[in-house]
Amino acid sequence: MKIKPINILFNMLAIVTVISVSFVFFNIFSGARGYAVLTDSMSPTLNRGDVVFVKQTDFNSLNEGDIVTVQFADGSGFFTHKIVSIDYVAGAIRTKGDANESEDPQPSMSEQIVGKMWYSIPLLGYLSIALNEMDLVKLSVISSVVLIVLISVSVLVSKFRKRGGKNE
Amino acid sequence: MSKIKKVIALVMVLMLVMCGSYFTLMSPTTAWSYQSQNISGTQNTFVFADFDVNSEYALSDTIKFKGATAFEDENETLFDSVVEITEVEIKNEGGMPARVYATVKNEYETKGLRYFYFTDDLMVDDSVRATMLKALNGEMTEQALNNHNIGEDGNSGYYVSLNPGESKVVKVALWVEYDESIDDFTFADSAWATVDYKINITMTATQDIDGALVR
């Protein structure tokens, strides 16, 4: 039996889709939130381009050495660092990046803590980083080029198939 | 390919795009990271990129200050002619917006050293004194200068913002308050007497986020 290339592509697309959708649903239903790592301040544990998944955790169950994602006090962003000390009474933690020489300058309060790191995946965060660092014009141009290429390929395949049908 | 397969393929592509969006639209997580460099009199360019890991350079310089604010110059009209201005070109070669702070330290803790961090955007009448008067609301005190340079909590002072790829020239005006200075620098000196101060100018670039730096 001859295997058509289009069927191979279809099967590959199906496998990639099933894996991707399962992964996304797994994270959504387990309550994990993903964050793209922008800097190497937690290197070698976390590197730029990683995606870190965190789960909400009770403050009293946190321990020194846990890696947590914390929202800046002014709500302007997030950082992910390791806990170096905990004040359970005051509800505050002090954090430090593995690659940084000193602790972060300010303590973080329990209400700023988004969650504790569950697991991380390398490289996946570059999608988010690229979008954040790319300006709107570049993004529009790239999207347009991709769209034109896709339409052209589709038209060419369609013509090729019609011609092939006539020859048969 | 059958019509059903085509529809399924289209649905799969849509689902993949949605999965891609899930990863693409994730919030970035960053850190309080920064990059510092001490600037000497000859090295006047501070280039930084993304603040992956903090790093510091230890360079210092000796500045010969003139007999500042001339002893018979009650209205400090000579201030602009004796003030030392160090210009530093700062360049953001990273991929994220940054802000740059400046701190001046006096290595031997000699008394009377003052500084004022500014850019030409603040400049009034080409005069550092007039610029300071405006920036400090006429309050020419050490406390007002400290608040301008580093802020009340050491974390809210004057800074210059730079977008990725941008460069600017920043200035640090340095002078000595003669009535606080070391013994060598006395009222007996002429207006153009000099005194050596060993200083460190530290430029620190951090992410353009509030709460990012404490000095």
Side-chain angles (χ1 to χ4, degrees):
Chain A
M1 194 176 89
K2 194 181 171 189
I3 301 170
K4 291 181 180 173
I6 194 79
N7 285 339
I8 296 173
L9 277 176
F10 181 85
N11 291 338
M12 281 171 65
L13 181 66
I15 291 165
V16 172
T17 306
V18 168
I19 292 171
S20 303
V21 171
S22 307
F23 181 67
V24 169
F25 275 91
F26 168 71
N27 285 307
I28 290 172
F29 288 117
S30 62
R33 293 177 69 175
Y35 295 89
V37 177
L38 269 185
T39 67
D40 278 329
S41 64
M42 271 299 287
S43 181
T45 316
L46 294 170
N47 295 305
R48 177 176 161 84
D50 291 359
V51 166
V52 57
F53 287 93
V54 301
K55 281 176 95 169
Q56 206 170 10
T57 310
D58 179 49
F59 181 76
N60 290 317
S61 67
L62 290 173
N63 294 302
E64 287 174 14
D66 287 344
I67 295 170
V68 286
T69 295
V70 178
Q71 186 163 32
F72 285 111
D74 64 358
S76 60
F78 303 90
F79 68 93
T80 302
H81 273 182
K82 194 175 274 181
I83 298 176
V84 289
S85 64
I86 305 180
D87 185 338
Y88 292 105
V89 179
I93 57 168
R94 292 215 71 110
T95 50
K96 179 181 169 298
D98 282 355
N100 286 345
E101 287 167 11
S102 50
E103 288 180 11
D104 294 325
Q106 291 167 6
S108 304
M109 305 310 291
S110 57
E111 55 269 22
Q112 290 173 251
I113 300 170
V114 178
K116 178 179 159 184
M117 188 179 96
W118 189 21
Y119 67 98
S120 68
I121 295 177
L123 304 176
L124 213 51
Y126 278 112
L127 280 172
S128 171
I129 291 171
L131 187 79
N132 276 298
E133 291 181 357
M134 205 179 283
D135 60 49
L136 207 61
V137 179
K138 273 186 195 166
L139 196 69
S140 310
V141 170
I142 291 171
S143 307
S144 308
V145 169
V146 169
L147 201 66
I148 289 165
V149 168
L150 283 176
I151 290 170
S152 309
V153 168
S154 166
V155 169
L156 282 173
V157 167
S158 160
K159 279 190 176 176
F160 179 75
R161 290 186 65 201
K162 274 182 189 170
R163 206 175 285 174
K166 277 178 189 174
N167 288 343
E168 281 168 16
Chain B
M1 197 196 282
S2 71
K3 265 191 176 176
I4 295 172
K5 265 190 168 177
K6 277 182 185 169
V7 171
I8 292 172
L10 187 69
V11 171
M12 287 194 296
V13 168
L14 282 174
M15 288 173 100
L16 270 182
V17 169
M18 285 167 73
C19 289
S21 307
Y22 172 78
F23 291 109
T24 308
L25 298 176
M26 273 177 180
S27 300
T29 173
T30 175
W32 277 321
S33 48
Y34 51 89
Q35 191 169 334
S36 295
Q37 182 173 319
N38 290 38
I39 312 290
S40 76
T42 50
Q43 183 172 351
N44 289 341
T45 306
F46 176 30
V47 181
F48 54 90
D50 292 331
F51 321 107
D52 298 340
V53 180
N54 48 345
S55 58
E56 280 197 16
Y57 302 86
L59 295 171
S60 59
D61 195 21
T62 301
I63 290 188
K64 280 187 179 295
F65 286 102
K66 290 164 188 162
T69 61
F71 311 119
E72 295 174 3
D73 178 23
E74 288 181 4
N75 296 319
E76 297 186 339
T77 52
L78 291 176
F79 183 90
D80 278 293
S81 60
V82 296
V83 69
E84 292 284 338
I85 296 176
T86 299
E87 291 189 4
V88 182
E89 186 183 12
I90 53 175
K91 287 183 190 170
N92 180 3
E93 292 190 347
M96 64 180 89
R99 58 177 64 166
V100 177
Y101 294 87
T103 314
V104 174
K105 288 210 170 122
N106 190 349
E107 207 162 293
Y108 298 140
E109 296 185 354
T110 34
K111 291 175 184 170
L113 182 72
R114 300 279 191 277
Y115 74 98
F116 176 70
Y117 178 41
F118 68 108
T119 56
D120 281 340
D121 301 346
L122 295 185
M123 204 73 180
V124 177
D125 299 335
D126 286 330
S127 160
V128 176
R129 190 170 180 276
T131 305
M132 281 197 297
L133 276 169
K134 189 180 176 194
L136 308 181
N137 296 319
E139 196 188 339
M140 295 281 278
T141 61
E142 188 178 4
Q143 185 59 48
L145 272 170
N146 285 341
N147 286 345
H148 168 84
N149 291 323
I150 63 169
E152 285 181 12
D153 55 0
N155 192 25
S156 53
Y158 183 71
Y159 61 84
V160 178
S161 291
L162 287 177
N163 287 319
E166 196 177 5
S167 71
K168 283 181 183 172
V169 173
V170 294
K171 295 178 178 180
V172 181
L174 296 143
W175 70 99
V176 170
E177 289 292 324
Y178 62 87
D179 53 346
E180 289 180 35
S181 63
I182 55 176
D183 294 341
D184 295 348
F185 199 47
T186 65
F187 284 85
D189 288 327
S190 74
W192 302 108
T194 59
V195 61
D196 293 349
Y197 271 68
K198 201 160 180 66
I199 60 152
N200 277 317
I201 299 175
T202 305
M203 292 275 166
T204 305
T206 114
Q207 291 150 274
D208 203 1
I209 297 170
D210 284 341
L213 176 74
V214 167
R215 289 166 291 184

Short mmCIF file of all heavy atoms in Angstrom, two decimals, chain B residues 142-173:
data_model
loop_
_atom_site.label_atom_id
_atom_site.label_comp_id
_atom_site.label_asym_id
_atom_site.label_seq_id
_atom_site.Cartn_x
_atom_site.Cartn_y
_atom_site.Cartn_z
N GLU B 142 21.84 69.64 51.73
CA GLU B 142 22.39 68.30 51.50
C GLU B 142 21.26 67.27 51.44
O GLU B 142 21.27 66.36 50.64
CB GLU B 142 23.38 67.96 52.62
CG GLU B 142 24.13 66.67 52.33
CD GLU B 142 25.15 66.34 53.40
OE1 GLU B 142 25.23 67.07 54.40
OE2 GLU B 142 25.87 65.35 53.22
N GLN B 143 20.25 67.47 52.32
CA GLN B 143 19.12 66.54 52.36
C GLN B 143 18.35 66.56 51.03
O GLN B 143 17.99 65.52 50.48
CB GLN B 143 18.18 66.92 53.52
CG GLN B 143 17.03 65.95 53.73
CD GLN B 143 17.53 64.54 54.03
OE1 GLN B 143 18.40 64.36 54.87
NE2 GLN B 143 17.00 63.56 53.33
N ALA B 144 18.14 67.77 50.50
CA ALA B 144 17.41 67.88 49.23
C ALA B 144 18.20 67.24 48.09
O ALA B 144 17.64 66.57 47.21
CB ALA B 144 17.15 69.35 48.92
N LEU B 145 19.53 67.40 48.14
CA LEU B 145 20.38 66.77 47.12
C LEU B 145 20.32 65.24 47.22
O LEU B 145 20.20 64.54 46.22
CB LEU B 145 21.84 67.21 47.30
CG LEU B 145 22.27 68.48 46.58
CD1 LEU B 145 23.64 68.90 47.06
CD2 LEU B 145 22.28 68.28 45.07
N ASN B 146 20.39 64.75 48.46
CA ASN B 146 20.30 63.30 48.66
C ASN B 146 18.97 62.76 48.15
O ASN B 146 18.91 61.70 47.53
CB ASN B 146 20.47 62.94 50.14
CG ASN B 146 21.91 63.04 50.57
OD1 ASN B 146 22.80 63.03 49.73
ND2 ASN B 146 22.14 63.17 51.87
N ASN B 147 17.90 63.49 48.43
CA ASN B 147 16.58 63.05 47.97
C ASN B 147 16.53 63.01 46.44
O ASN B 147 15.93 62.11 45.85
CB ASN B 147 15.48 63.98 48.49
CG ASN B 147 15.22 63.75 49.95
OD1 ASN B 147 15.63 62.72 50.51
ND2 ASN B 147 14.54 64.68 50.59
N HIS B 148 17.17 64.01 45.83
CA HIS B 148 17.17 64.04 44.36
C HIS B 148 18.00 62.87 43.81
O HIS B 148 17.56 62.16 42.91
CB HIS B 148 17.76 65.35 43.84
CG HIS B 148 18.04 65.33 42.37
ND1 HIS B 148 17.07 65.58 41.42
CD2 HIS B 148 19.17 65.03 41.66
CE1 HIS B 148 17.60 65.45 40.21
NE2 HIS B 148 18.87 65.12 40.33
N ASN B 149 19.19 62.66 44.39
CA ASN B 149 20.11 61.67 43.82
C ASN B 149 19.71 60.23 44.11
O ASN B 149 19.78 59.38 43.23
CB ASN B 149 21.52 61.92 44.36
CG ASN B 149 22.13 63.20 43.82
OD1 ASN B 149 21.92 63.56 42.66
ND2 ASN B 149 22.85 63.92 44.66
N ILE B 150 19.34 59.95 45.34
CA ILE B 150 19.04 58.54 45.67
C ILE B 150 17.65 58.33 46.26
O ILE B 150 17.20 57.20 46.41
CB ILE B 150 20.09 57.94 46.64
CG1 ILE B 150 20.07 58.67 47.98
CG2 ILE B 150 21.47 57.96 46.05
CD1 ILE B 150 20.88 57.96 49.04
N GLY B 151 16.93 59.40 46.60
CA GLY B 151 15.59 59.25 47.16
C GLY B 151 15.62 59.04 48.66
O GLY B 151 16.65 58.68 49.23
N GLU B 152 14.48 59.26 49.28
CA GLU B 152 14.43 59.18 50.75
C GLU B 152 14.73 57.76 51.25
O GLU B 152 15.30 57.57 52.31
CB GLU B 152 13.06 59.63 51.26
CG GLU B 152 12.91 61.15 51.17
CD GLU B 152 11.57 61.62 51.69
OE1 GLU B 152 10.86 60.82 52.32
OE2 GLU B 152 11.24 62.78 51.45
N ASP B 153 14.28 56.75 50.48
CA ASP B 153 14.52 55.37 50.91
C ASP B 153 15.67 54.74 50.12
O ASP B 153 15.85 53.53 50.15
CB ASP B 153 13.24 54.54 50.72
CG ASP B 153 12.74 54.62 49.29
OD1 ASP B 153 13.39 55.31 48.48
OD2 ASP B 153 11.71 54.00 48.99
N GLY B 154 16.43 55.56 49.44
CA GLY B 154 17.55 55.03 48.67
C GLY B 154 17.10 54.36 47.39
O GLY B 154 17.88 53.73 46.70
N ASN B 155 15.86 54.50 47.06
CA ASN B 155 15.33 53.72 45.95
C ASN B 155 14.37 54.52 45.07
O ASN B 155 13.60 53.95 44.33
CB ASN B 155 14.60 52.49 46.51
CG ASN B 155 14.26 51.49 45.45
OD1 ASN B 155 14.93 51.45 44.43
ND2 ASN B 155 13.22 50.71 45.67
N SER B 156 14.36 55.82 45.22
CA SER B 156 13.40 56.58 44.43
C SER B 156 14.03 57.86 43.88
O SER B 156 13.34 58.82 43.59
CB SER B 156 12.18 56.91 45.29
OG SER B 156 12.59 57.53 46.50
N GLY B 157 15.34 57.85 43.79
CA GLY B 157 16.01 59.05 43.31
C GLY B 157 15.89 59.23 41.80
O GLY B 157 15.19 58.49 41.12
N TYR B 158 16.61 60.22 41.31
CA TYR B 158 16.55 60.55 39.89
C TYR B 158 17.15 59.41 39.07
O TYR B 158 18.18 58.84 39.42
CB TYR B 158 17.35 61.84 39.65
CG TYR B 158 17.31 62.33 38.23
CD1 TYR B 158 16.15 62.88 37.68
CD2 TYR B 158 18.43 62.23 37.42
CE1 TYR B 158 16.11 63.32 36.37
CE2 TYR B 158 18.41 62.67 36.10
CZ TYR B 158 17.24 63.21 35.59
OH TYR B 158 17.22 63.63 34.29
N TYR B 159 16.46 59.07 38.00
CA TYR B 159 17.00 58.06 37.09
C TYR B 159 16.66 58.43 35.66
O TYR B 159 15.77 59.26 35.42
CB TYR B 159 16.45 56.65 37.41
CG TYR B 159 14.95 56.52 37.30
CD1 TYR B 159 14.34 56.28 36.08
CD2 TYR B 159 14.14 56.62 38.43
CE1 TYR B 159 12.96 56.16 35.98
CE2 TYR B 159 12.77 56.51 38.34
CZ TYR B 159 12.18 56.28 37.11
OH TYR B 159 10.82 56.17 37.01
N VAL B 160 17.39 57.84 34.75
CA VAL B 160 17.18 58.10 33.33
C VAL B 160 16.69 56.81 32.68
O VAL B 160 17.32 55.77 32.83
CB VAL B 160 18.49 58.58 32.66
CG1 VAL B 160 18.28 58.81 31.17
CG2 VAL B 160 18.98 59.85 33.33
N SER B 161 15.55 56.89 32.00
CA SER B 161 15.01 55.70 31.35
C SER B 161 15.56 55.55 29.94
O SER B 161 15.73 56.54 29.22
CB SER B 161 13.48 55.78 31.29
OG SER B 161 12.94 55.68 32.57
N LEU B 162 15.83 54.32 29.57
CA LEU B 162 16.33 54.03 28.22
C LEU B 162 15.57 52.86 27.63
O LEU B 162 15.47 51.80 28.26
CB LEU B 162 17.81 53.62 28.27
CG LEU B 162 18.88 54.67 28.55
CD1 LEU B 162 20.23 54.00 28.62
CD2 LEU B 162 18.89 55.72 27.48
N ASN B 163 15.06 53.04 26.42
CA ASN B 163 14.43 51.93 25.72
C ASN B 163 15.51 51.03 25.12
O ASN B 163 16.66 51.46 24.99
CB ASN B 163 13.52 52.46 24.60
CG ASN B 163 12.26 53.07 25.18
OD1 ASN B 163 11.68 52.55 26.12
ND2 ASN B 163 11.87 54.21 24.63
N PRO B 164 15.17 49.81 24.74
CA PRO B 164 16.17 48.95 24.11
C PRO B 164 16.81 49.65 22.90
O PRO B 164 16.10 50.24 22.08
CB PRO B 164 15.37 47.73 23.67
CG PRO B 164 14.22 47.69 24.61
CD PRO B 164 13.89 49.12 24.92
N GLY B 165 18.12 49.61 22.82
CA GLY B 165 18.84 50.22 21.70
C GLY B 165 19.12 51.70 21.85
O GLY B 165 19.82 52.29 21.04
N GLU B 166 18.56 52.31 22.89
CA GLU B 166 18.70 53.77 23.04
C GLU B 166 19.99 54.12 23.79
O GLU B 166 20.47 53.35 24.61
CB GLU B 166 17.49 54.29 23.82
CG GLU B 166 17.31 55.80 23.71
CD GLU B 166 16.05 56.28 24.44
OE1 GLU B 166 15.37 55.46 25.10
OE2 GLU B 166 15.77 57.48 24.36
N SER B 167 20.53 55.29 23.51
CA SER B 167 21.66 55.78 24.29
C SER B 167 21.45 57.26 24.62
O SER B 167 20.78 57.97 23.87
CB SER B 167 22.99 55.57 23.56
OG SER B 167 23.07 56.44 22.46
N LYS B 168 21.98 57.69 25.75
CA LYS B 168 21.84 59.08 26.17
C LYS B 168 23.12 59.50 26.89
O LYS B 168 23.89 58.65 27.33
CB LYS B 168 20.68 59.23 27.18
CG LYS B 168 19.30 59.21 26.57
CD LYS B 168 18.23 59.39 27.64
CE LYS B 168 16.85 59.28 27.00
NZ LYS B 168 15.77 59.25 28.00
N VAL B 169 23.30 60.80 27.02
CA VAL B 169 24.43 61.30 27.80
C VAL B 169 23.87 61.83 29.13
O VAL B 169 22.95 62.64 29.15
CB VAL B 169 25.18 62.41 27.05
CG1 VAL B 169 26.23 63.04 27.96
CG2 VAL B 169 25.83 61.86 25.80
N VAL B 170 24.42 61.30 30.22
CA VAL B 170 24.01 61.79 31.54
C VAL B 170 25.18 62.53 32.17
O VAL B 170 26.33 62.35 31.75
CB VAL B 170 23.56 60.63 32.46
CG1 VAL B 170 22.30 59.97 31.94
CG2 VAL B 170 24.66 59.61 32.64
N LYS B 171 24.88 63.37 33.13
CA LYS B 171 25.93 64.20 33.72
C LYS B 171 25.89 64.10 35.24
O LYS B 171 24.81 63.98 35.83
CB LYS B 171 25.74 65.66 33.30
CG LYS B 171 25.91 65.86 31.80
CD LYS B 171 25.68 67.29 31.39
CE LYS B 171 25.91 67.44 29.89
NZ LYS B 171 25.69 68.80 29.41
N VAL B 172 27.07 64.15 35.81
CA VAL B 172 27.18 64.22 37.27
C VAL B 172 27.99 65.47 37.60
O VAL B 172 29.15 65.57 37.20
CB VAL B 172 27.86 62.96 37.85
CG1 VAL B 172 27.93 63.07 39.38
CG2 VAL B 172 27.12 61.70 37.45
N ALA B 173 27.35 66.41 38.27
CA ALA B 173 28.05 67.62 38.69
C ALA B 173 28.63 67.37 40.08
O ALA B 173 27.93 66.87 40.97
CB ALA B 173 27.08 68.80 38.73
#
